[in-house]
Amino acid sequence: MRQPLVAGNWKMNGSRESIKVLLDGIKDGMGEVNRAAVVVCAPYVYLPGVQARLEGTAVEWGAQDLSIEASGAYTGEISAAMLRDFGCGYVIVGHSERRAYHGESDALVAKKYAVARAAGLIPILCVGETLDEREQGITEEVVARQLDALIELEGVAALTDGVIAYEPVWAIGTGKTASPEQAQEVHAFIRGRVAAKDADVAEGVRILYGGSMKPDNAPELISKPDIDGGLIGGASLKPEDFLGICKAAN
Ligand code: PEP
């Protein structure tokens, strides 16, 4: 039985004050969330504060990216070991915004996943097609290519206890959600592709949906058999919305 997971991706949002209010609001509502795992992925600079505020609570924390390098002359980069130092449990890799604005390739994203996992972090591997790719009918081809880059580099065992987030790019931050049927179709494809290599890994890997998930559409999406929770952008910045999704996953 896969434990549902809801991860908030704050992106480049927040201030010390707003994060305090957000985290206190989330902590206050966690009494009703006893089954789903809940994670917030914060900007690096706020991680120490997030760690201090969440220590001893059921809410875990993570980062939104990491370096493939271990240490040294890589100005501006943050390593997996540094994230572990701040008690990070999770890290997002290959978010479509990093692929689009920072030119991250499938191979680089696979390497980031591997480095994170080797350090004891749980990487959340983002995959998903653009609108143009969906309209061309190549959604499965794109998602397979993104997934296979990791499987070819590390083997399918790299997905043991791992997390994949299917995030159609056209649904991120646009208010356009994939229908539960559209999302389930791709989630089933991803699980099937993993199962073709290893049925046990496929059974265990959590596949989150991301793309304008909100408290009102979350219950139907998460009720689908291959949707194990959500990666949440905009709605993770409002405690009541984020908690609404956490309760749906619970
Ligand atoms: C995201 O950025 O991962 C995301 C899903 O954003 P939103 O929920 O705002 O669409």
Side-chain angles (χ1 to χ4, degrees):
M1 193 66 171
R2 295 181 293 273
Q3 183 190 25
L5 168 64
V6 178
N9 173 16
W10 294 352
K11 313 193 188 197
M12 196 173 70
N13 290 299
S15 63
R16 274 193 295 182
E17 189 50 36
S18 72
I19 286 172
K20 180 171 161 292
V21 174
L22 174 57
L23 289 180
D24 287 349
I26 295 172
K27 284 195 292 186
D28 285 351
M30 281 296 288
E32 290 171 63
V33 184
N34 51 15
R35 179 162 172 261
V38 175
V39 180
V40 293
C41 295
Y44 292 138
V45 71
Y46 294 122
L47 282 173
V50 169
Q51 180 195 38
R53 269 209 125 61
L54 292 180
E55 200 107 66
T57 74
V59 183
E60 297 174 87
W61 58 97
Q64 301 169 11
D65 183 36
L66 84 171
S67 173
I68 56 168
E69 306 296 344
S71 66
Y74 300 101
T75 304
E77 294 286 274
I78 302 286
S79 71
M82 290 172 179
L83 297 180
R84 285 300 291 160
D85 212 15
F86 274 103
C88 276
Y90 293 78
V91 61
I92 298 169
V93 297
H95 190 280
S96 63
E97 288 152 14
R98 294 218 54 93
R99 292 179 190 262
Y101 309 143
H102 301 272
E104 294 198 1
S105 64
D106 296 335
L108 181 82
V109 171
K111 186 91 202 290
K112 287 189 171 190
Y113 185 106
V115 163
R117 191 160 175 270
L121 294 157
I122 299 178
I124 301 175
L125 171 71
C126 298
V127 298
E129 81 289 1
T130 62
L131 183 59
D132 186 45
E133 289 163 340
R134 175 159 282 264
E135 284 172 353
Q136 283 179 54
I138 57 168
T139 295
E140 292 187 353
E141 197 181 305
V142 170
V143 168
R145 193 197 68 220
Q146 294 168 334
L147 187 61
D148 290 355
L150 172 66
I151 297 176
E152 277 155 26
L153 181 73
E154 288 288 286
V156 71
L159 289 164
T160 307
D161 303 322
V163 180
I164 299 169
Y166 168 58
E167 298 208 302
V169 180
W170 48 271
I172 296 179
T174 58
K176 274 190 223 151
T177 318
S179 70
E181 293 69 31
Q182 279 174 321
Q184 166 58 26
E185 197 180 355
V186 183
H187 282 235
F189 169 76
I190 293 171
R191 202 178 300 286
R193 198 159 181 95
V194 177
K197 303 267 181 206
D198 189 314
D200 290 340
V201 173
E203 192 48 40
V205 68
R206 283 174 291 179
I207 309 177
L208 313 182
Y209 168 80
S212 300
M213 195 187 258
K214 302 275 181 303
D216 59 344
N217 58 30
E220 223 195 316
L221 282 158
I222 297 173
S223 70
K224 293 290 176 194
D226 290 298
I227 302 183
D228 304 311
L231 180 57
I232 318 301
S236 71
L237 298 170
K238 295 186 197 131
E240 61 285 6
D241 286 358
F242 189 59
L243 283 164
I245 298 170
C246 295
K247 285 174 199 164
N250 200 58

